Amino acid sequence: MFKKTSLAAGVAAFATILFAGGCAFAEADKSGQVDYTAMTPHELAEYLIFEANDGGGFNLAQEMQEGGTARDRMQQDELQKACSIIGDGKPDEETMAAIRTAAQESIVYPEGGIQLGNWERGRELAWSGFGYRVGHNYDDHNVREVGGTCYNCHQFATDRTGGNVGPVLTGYGKMRGTSEPILKYVYDMIYNPHVYFPCTHMPRFGSSGFLDKESIADIMAYMFDPESPVNE
Amino acid sequence: MFRKALLALPVALALGATAHAEKAPEEVLQGLIDSIDSRYLTQSEMNIMMMPDNPALWVGIDGEELFHAARGPNNVSMEACDFGKGPGVLEGAYVEMPRYFEDTGKVMDLETRIMHCMTEVQGFAADDPAVTQRHGSGSDHMKLQTYIAMQSNAMEWNNPLDHPLEKAMRDAGEVLFARRAGMSDFNCYACHGQSGKQVRASVLPDANVPEDWTKAISWPAFRVGHDNVRSSQHRVRGCYYQMRQPGMLAGSDASIALISYWTDMARGQPAILPDMKR
């Protein structure tokens, strides 16, 4: 029921127009120039990313940490498409509901239930901005482990300065306790926050493969462990 | 830097002929600060204080010399180049870029236009370091960009959208701004869609607030943290890097589309050139 079908169909249709042999709009005119003004803004944007300037407007050949190339990373999945809205508004109710459902389906829970890990490692992971950056200064995951970038957007313990794109999480475990529902809520938020906030700006750290289970458990320990400075 | 402070005033006088000299960049910024309540604009008192001694002013002076020097295999100066207002006319040229150029049939930003001028007018080979070295205060690019941009200080951003290609590029830029992709699902709104938002200690400009956004796009700017003057293309690269998306190729049509849109978002607001940033 996720517009999976309709979204996917739309995507396929779009891809056909865009890349199928002939390339309806990308057809060169007599001068050999592609006519940008004959495309819709979306078509042109895709063309500029993937085709223009002899092979695209980005360094698309670079290999990515997760495998594949930059060309693959620039392809949008359904959620990214549905949430790319000019003006940053929300999609319609039906799409929002579909996003929630798909997000829920993407979440994989640890065998034996959600456990808290090592808060000290979690503290460093929540702080670290390392991981998955590419381009001119490629993050080599063999050299350092991937962090969560959480501090970019959140304040946790106040010994370090965090951002405020997301809500303040100082004292989180102390205030909310460690009941199963609250642990599940936070696990879900880290894994795929679109379950609760469709088209949120918080990344899907679990579904995207950004953080592994152990890192999620450690970051959660940082938020919930009574010993953690978050709960001082 | 302080050593140079004494000279800052003559610098401003030497570089500015008319409108852009009437207001120093720091006065333009002060005007914006007085007009709205913005955490972004006011976040660094230190930088505001240092602006009269902005090292970028010196890079601009070097650029002035370079601009007027006969260079390249053709031994001509850049005065023969058209930045949109006729050969050699720089006043107000930069705030009206990116724009469509008849001679190339393309929409170009300042950086690509300088490259075009170096290769087509001055005759430099496309792989000459003068053409390819885009970053750093010591590069010809940053010197020239700073000098040319300074001739638009205090003027309002007003990139033309009359030509269908200008409009098409601006509209595609708007799509790029909103386009999510990559490991973090980010688009530009993720960090620039609300006022007063901070990523760690940096207060971010809100693209919906033109008074914020004019400072945001006022490049070249001296980046204190980098100890170098930086360009718009350098900023674009930095944001895609943080977004975990691939490096946007400088001068690509994608980059020019994005810059067309971001300039449109600041339309009507005065440019701060050169600026000083974190």
Side-chain angles (χ1 to χ4, degrees):
Chain A
M1 165 229 139
F2 184 15
K3 294 197 161 179
K4 232 174 211 164
T5 37
S6 59
L7 274 179
V11 174
F14 185 65
T16 313
I17 307 171
L18 191 52
F19 301 115
C23 284
F25 62 79
E27 198 138 23
D29 65 18
K30 284 152 268 150
S31 64
Q33 289 282 76
V34 167
D35 184 4
Y36 288 180
T37 63
M39 306 183 200
T40 67
H42 278 90
E43 287 165 349
L44 179 54
E46 297 298 309
Y47 183 80
L48 296 183
I49 294 169
F50 294 109
E51 307 287 325
N53 303 103
D54 295 329
F58 290 78
N59 178 7
L60 296 177
Q62 191 175 29
E63 283 180 23
M64 300 290 100
Q65 293 91 347
E66 70 276 19
T69 62
R71 182 175 286 275
D72 302 318
R73 200 187 271 188
M74 283 308 277
Q75 302 286 354
Q76 293 178 296
D77 69 12
E78 286 180 31
L79 175 115
Q80 290 168 336
K81 274 206 180 80
C83 297
S84 294
I85 298 172
I86 287 173
D88 205 25
K90 298 283 182 193
D92 60 45
E93 282 301 323
E94 198 192 336
T95 308
M96 300 252 278
I99 287 171
R100 280 203 180 88
T101 310
Q104 187 62 68
E105 283 167 5
S106 81
I107 299 178
V108 179
Y109 296 94
E111 277 170 44
I114 297 164
Q115 305 289 336
L116 301 180
N118 171 352
W119 71 258
E120 283 166 306
R121 178 167 180 266
R123 174 173 180 266
E124 292 315 315
L125 292 175
W127 176 252
S128 168
F130 186 86
Y132 292 105
R133 288 171 302 191
V134 297
H136 59 287
N137 193 8
Y138 189 86
D139 284 343
D140 180 353
H141 294 183
N142 297 317
V143 174
R144 263 173 79 185
E145 62 189 356
V146 174
T149 68
C150 315
Y151 262 95
N152 282 355
C153 297
H154 294 286
Q155 185 66 55
F156 293 87
T158 50
D159 56 338
R160 286 167 161 172
T161 305
N164 67 357
V165 176
V168 174
L169 302 175
T170 312
Y172 203 85
K174 195 160 126 183
M175 283 186 307
R176 315 274 175 128
T178 54
S179 65
E180 216 179 295
I182 189 69
L183 291 184
K184 177 178 179 295
Y185 171 69
V186 169
Y187 185 87
D188 288 349
M189 279 302 294
I190 298 174
Y191 207 98
N192 191 335
H194 297 269
V195 182
Y196 304 107
F197 302 95
C199 295
T200 178
H201 287 301
M202 178 164 155
R204 295 169 282 176
F205 288 101
S207 313
S208 67
F210 205 109
L211 294 175
D212 61 21
K213 292 232 175 66
E214 193 189 343
S215 293
I216 294 177
D218 291 346
I219 291 171
M220 284 185 64
Y222 179 53
M223 291 180 65
F224 287 103
D225 196 302
E227 298 294 307
S228 157
V230 169
N231 299 312
E232 251 166 28
Chain B
M1 223 179 278
F2 282 108
R3 183 176 46 85
K4 292 179 176 171
L6 293 168
L7 294 165
L9 188 60
V11 169
L13 292 177
L15 283 177
T18 48
H20 46 282
E22 284 162 18
K23 263 192 181 179
E26 61 272 23
E27 291 170 328
V28 180
L29 175 57
Q30 192 57 53
L32 292 164
I33 289 173
D34 294 343
S35 73
I36 61 158
D37 194 13
S38 162
R39 288 187 64 214
Y40 168 66
L41 293 175
T42 52
Q43 70 178 311
S44 178
E45 254 175 64
M46 184 67 172
N47 281 1
I48 297 172
M49 265 170 50
M50 300 283 287
M51 277 176 76
D53 310 321
N54 190 341
L57 292 165
W58 296 91
V59 176
I61 292 210
D62 289 349
E64 178 172 27
E65 202 172 299
L66 205 56
F67 186 88
H68 295 289
R71 297 175 77 224
N74 298 347
N75 203 33
V76 287
S77 82
M78 286 208 156
E79 289 157 33
C81 304
D82 183 359
F83 288 90
K85 303 204 141 226
V89 182
L90 298 184
E91 192 172 328
Y94 179 54
V95 283
E96 295 185 17
M97 292 176 90
R99 71 152 69 225
Y100 176 76
F101 287 91
E102 201 69 54
D103 54 8
T104 57
K106 286 182 154 197
V107 177
M108 302 170 94
D109 70 342
L110 177 59
E111 190 167 305
T112 33
R113 192 63 188 170
I114 288 174
M115 291 179 84
H116 169 79
C117 179
M118 285 173 165
T119 53
E120 303 305 312
V121 179
Q122 296 184 308
F124 283 105
D127 61 356
D128 192 292
V131 183
T132 57
Q133 178 59 46
R134 297 161 182 262
H135 303 315
S137 296
S139 66
D140 290 357
H141 265 291
M142 289 322 305
K143 290 176 189 171
L144 290 165
Q145 280 192 37
T146 307
Y147 171 62
I148 295 169
M150 282 167 71
Q151 314 312 310
S152 286
N153 178 49
M155 296 180 190
E156 295 175 4
W157 296 107
N158 189 25
N159 55 322
L161 297 175
D162 308 320
H163 192 280
L165 260 182
E166 290 167 342
K167 179 79 169 58
M169 291 287 269
R170 179 258 173 232
D171 291 352
E174 183 173 35
V175 174
L176 291 173
F177 199 91
R179 189 180 191 274
R180 295 187 185 220
M183 291 300 287
S184 299
D185 305 327
F186 287 146
N187 57 13
C188 307
Y189 296 121
C191 299
H192 301 295
Q194 284 174 281
S195 289
K197 288 296 175 191
Q198 251 172 265
V199 161
R200 298 192 191 228
S202 305
V203 185
L204 303 177
D206 181 348
N208 304 304
V209 176
E211 291 86 350
D212 266 17
W213 202 245
T214 180
K215 175 169 165 58
I217 67 159
S218 285
W219 302 96
F222 182 76
R223 272 198 80 178
V224 176
H226 290 197
D227 198 23
N228 265 292
V229 174
R230 297 304 192 193
S231 63
S232 304
Q233 290 279 354
H234 189 274
R235 184 62 251 171
V236 168
R237 185 180 87 166
C239 282
Y240 274 104
Y241 182 70
Q242 295 180 52
M243 290 162 80
R244 270 85 184 158
Q245 291 181 35
M248 197 179 229
L249 300 176
S252 63
D253 286 348
S255 72
I256 292 165
L258 187 67
I259 292 173
S260 295
Y261 176 64
W262 89 9
T263 307
D264 184 41
M265 294 286 276
R267 185 179 303 282
Q269 295 296 326
I272 307 164
L273 295 165
D275 191 23
M276 200 152 176
K277 291 184 168 75
R278 293 166 51 91

